[in-house]
Amino acid sequence: MGRRFIYLLMAAPVQVLLLAVIGMPAIYVLWLSLHKTAFGQVPEFVGLANYGFVLSDPYFWRAFVNTFVVVNIVVYVELGLAVLMATLFASGMPFRRLLISIVIAPYAVSEVIAVVIWKYMLEPDVGPVSAILASLGLPELAWTTDRWAAMTMVALLSIWLHLPFSFLILYSARIGLPKDLYESAATDGASAFDRFRYITVPLLMPAILVALMFRYVFAFRLFAEVWLLTGGGPARQTEVLATYLYRHAFRYQEFGVASAIGWLMVLATLLIASGYLRAMYKRMLTGDA
Amino acid sequence: MTINKTWLAGFVGIAALGLAAPALGQDKPDNLTIISHRVHQTVSTGEQGGDITKDWQDANGVGVEWVTLDTGALHERLFRELQLPETNIDIAFLLNTRAVDSVTKLLEPFDEHMAANPVENIDDIFPGLRAAMTFDGTLYGIPFRHASSCFHYNQRILDERGVAPPKTIEEMIEAARQLTFTRDDGTKVYGFLINGEGYANTVDLARAWDGDFITLDYHVATTDEGMMKAVTLLHDFYEEGILPSNWAAIKDEEVNNWMQTGRAAMSLNSCGRNRIFNDPEKSQEAGNIKTVAIPVSEAFKDKFDVAPAKVEFWTMVIPANAKHKDLAWDLVKTMVSPENTLKAALNGNGPVRASTYDSAEMKNQLPYADEEKAVLLVGRVPLPPFDNAAKASDIFVEELQAAVLGMKSPEDAMASVQKRVTPLLPQ
């Protein structure tokens, strides 16, 4: 009992720190979400009215669908590419260091600059990508007028920006896998695909789950790519949850509504992440691989 | 006994001085704090016109401390300060669109200050600007800087296509068609370009027919003739390729860039953009961009010489919870004197007094000074201040984009704006 108390005491500073920097703001936002307030207004308790407003707002549901679709495309395409590239790079390809530098370079580019670059590349009249599409007889990507073309561009941009994160996690996990397993499998006549299917994927799964969960959480907060590229337009067709929240918080100063949106985003993220958390728990803590 | 009385009198005197000291200190602080955008400090303390606060500081023995922030952060900080029991901010700069009812309740009303220590020749300050800061008959802010819309055209492209500078909006529409073409090297030139993510320049266009988004008496005028003509015109321009296909994603920065590179021939934007368009270091079209007042429709020539375009402006306000309000008022009054308005204008400010435009120095500095003055005499704010102004403008932009891109008819889109915005207005 005495030893247990000392353990708790030693862990207390971290608990206090977590409570202070994560718990308190979250509780304050929860409190705000139950009030109607703006600058110069005394908060007025409104119960669950803010949640009711948000859940009955068609713009919220459009933003939710956009976010859900883009996040799933971004996360799975990105992870697929990261697994393939990690496998390719670990197999000992030439100029590996140079190529790794190129792959992780977008991580050093700020989101604002990335949006400006991509916006220019896909500019209808003078953009180089538009010119290539035109020279191939293909139509321009109508990302300023078509909802799904815009969301495709947002997804491409997001994958380009964040691929290095998934790649670094999976590449470091892949080069840590024991070589003798691959040598034994090769001796037994396993093809390259079999080795990938039966050795690489199962052994990489814990790292894949970690990358998946982190990317889900980060991607759900997708903001700069949409806000800077389309501003949520045309006609609010490309709005995502984070831009919807931003609009209510900082343009309309509806802090109660914005807080409710924030909490709904947290709950949605938790719901999606819970499946992966459960799988991670099973695989990593109980050794049920 | 006598000694005791003397001691007692002395003690009471010292105690009284001690009590009075904080009050005396309040009357004469070391500094007055002004919270503003960086540009306000620059135009108030620039080299060409000099520091407009210096003489006041010397005369009063009080310094001026500038705290500068970006527009959003500035208002957020100000609104937070206004809610405190007391603030260290003595003067704040407030954008006209942020001057809504709920904010003005937290500001010092100026009527008593005006009666006791009036601003010199306040009638010289453009009446539209003063009216926009008057709530229930009480003045809450003194205008300091404005941004008014003008019509910009590239004279070189007009000459190349044999088009005369338009004098009416009808001529401008025809010119936009003639100025849209593809050069031999494949570069396309668009006859007309405005920001596709904002509402203000569409209001400018509607003003050519005396149209409006929301009138100063809070009537949603989007289905009235002026705005309908403007939105239908933009839709037609988009269909005809006079506006670029990515118009809905065009921001002000892109409008600047397209004008500077000769990709757009005509635009509506702040008069002050003339400098950026003609800056030899930034523009390939330096010297070619002319700036005039937005031409009015032939049908409204009897009513206006030029279109009553958008005028947005910054005002100086004093927080109701400020500590040195009389002193702050005196500085506000000094900063907007006719002499200091000219000095600030020479430092690059958009002057709020009509008389400033008549000075020879001003005419030398701004080639479009007369045109801008003409706009200011008839111009008005793009929409009146109210708590839901940001929400209303977002609704307008959403429906405008839908109309221009063909997702809705202009009639349906503007009727939808009217239906959605009306409940947001002050009742």
Side-chain angles (χ1 to χ4, degrees), chain A residues 39-41 59 119 123-126 140 143-145 228 230 233-236 247 251-254, chain B residues 76 79-80 83 106 190 197 238 245-246 248-249 251 254 258 263 390-391 393-394 398 401 405 407 420:
Chain A
F39 287 124
Q41 275 185 12
Y59 291 96
K119 205 170 172 181
E123 216 267 2
D125 292 330
V126 295
E140 68 179 62
W143 61 271
T144 57
T145 53
L228 297 171
T230 68
R236 294 187 70 175
R247 201 180 283 274
R251 274 190 62 72
Y252 308 156
Q253 296 172 13
E254 294 175 341
Chain B
E76 191 179 329
F79 297 157
R80 285 185 193 283
Q83 292 177 80
L106 304 169
Y190 294 92
E197 290 193 340
Y238 188 79
S245 62
N246 61 339
K251 301 179 198 298
E254 273 123 1
W258 289 38
R263 292 179 64 197
K391 203 176 272 188
S393 61
D394 279 3
E398 177 192 343
Q401 289 181 339
L405 269 55
M407 298 172 187
R420 295 170 65 190

Side-chain angles (χ1 to χ4, degrees), chain B residues 151-343:
Chain B
F151 170 53
H152 308 274
Y153 60 87
N154 186 320
Q155 184 66 60
R156 187 185 62 78
I157 300 177
L158 263 70
D159 291 345
E160 184 184 344
R161 305 292 290 174
V163 176
K167 300 290 181 206
T168 64
I169 199 72
E170 289 79 11
E171 287 180 13
M172 193 214 78
I173 295 166
E174 195 45 46
R177 295 198 165 100
Q178 294 175 46
L179 295 170
T180 302
F181 64 104
T182 305
R183 294 186 185 285
D184 293 339
D185 63 2
T187 314
K188 189 160 182 190
V189 177
Y190 294 92
F192 182 76
L193 185 67
I194 58 172
N195 178 337
E197 290 193 340
Y199 68 96
N201 295 137
T202 303
V203 172
D204 281 331
L205 192 58
R207 294 273 171 86
W209 295 278
D210 200 20
D212 245 317
F213 168 18
I214 301 170
T215 59
L216 292 176
D217 58 354
Y218 298 100
H219 159 68
V220 181
T222 51
T223 55
D224 294 357
E225 186 191 11
M227 184 56 78
M228 278 309 306
K229 284 198 169 185
V231 175
T232 307
L233 177 67
L234 289 174
H235 168 74
D236 293 346
F237 273 5
Y238 188 79
E239 290 281 300
E240 295 171 37
I242 293 167
L243 285 174
S245 62
N246 61 339
W247 171 77
I250 293 278
K251 301 179 198 298
D252 267 338
E253 292 76 16
E254 273 123 1
V255 174
N256 293 345
N257 182 268
W258 289 38
M259 288 295 289
Q260 288 170 330
T261 52
R263 292 179 64 197
M266 303 190 293
S267 180
L268 306 181
N269 217 317
S270 295
C271 305
R273 301 278 167 164
N274 176 279
R275 289 187 184 196
I276 302 170
F277 295 157
N278 289 301
D279 182 344
E281 289 186 6
K282 294 176 184 163
S283 175
Q284 294 167 23
E285 296 290 343
N288 297 329
I289 313 292
K290 308 296 178 203
T291 297
V292 296
I294 297 174
V296 71
S297 166
E298 194 67 54
F300 287 89
K301 277 275 183 192
D302 294 342
K303 193 173 175 184
F304 301 107
D305 289 333
V306 299
K310 173 212 78 174
V311 176
E312 286 197 283
F313 62 97
W314 288 88
T315 53
M316 288 187 283
V317 298
I318 298 175
N321 55 351
K323 287 183 280 190
H324 314 290
K325 289 187 265 197
D326 287 341
L327 206 56
W329 168 258
D330 199 56
L331 178 55
V332 167
K333 189 195 94 166
T334 303
M335 288 173 74
V336 292
S337 70
E339 183 192 352
N340 281 331
T341 303
L342 175 60
K343 284 182 178 175

Side-chain angles (χ1 to χ4, degrees), chain A residues 52-69:
Chain A
F53 166 79
V54 173
L55 292 172
S56 61
D57 185 2
Y59 291 96
F60 169 79
W61 289 108
R62 186 191 285 166
F64 182 82
V65 170
N66 286 342
T67 308
F68 187 78
V69 171

Side-chain angles (χ1 to χ4, degrees), chain B residues 394-410:
Chain B
D394 279 3
I395 290 170
F396 181 84
V397 171
E398 177 192 343
E399 298 287 354
L400 172 70
Q401 289 181 339
V404 174
L405 269 55
M407 298 172 187
K408 283 183 176 181
S409 70

Side-chain angles (χ1 to χ4, degrees), chain B residues 325-371:
Chain B
K325 289 187 265 197
D326 287 341
L327 206 56
W329 168 258
D330 199 56
L331 178 55
V332 167
K333 189 195 94 166
T334 303
M335 288 173 74
V336 292
S337 70
E339 183 192 352
N340 281 331
T341 303
L342 175 60
K343 284 182 178 175
L346 295 175
N347 288 336
N349 199 31
V352 294
R353 286 180 177 273
S355 63
T356 311
Y357 284 93
D358 297 331
S359 78
E361 291 147 294
M362 189 69 185
K363 285 179 191 290
N364 282 339
Q365 178 155 321
L366 293 184
Y368 54 88
D370 287 339
E371 298 288 334

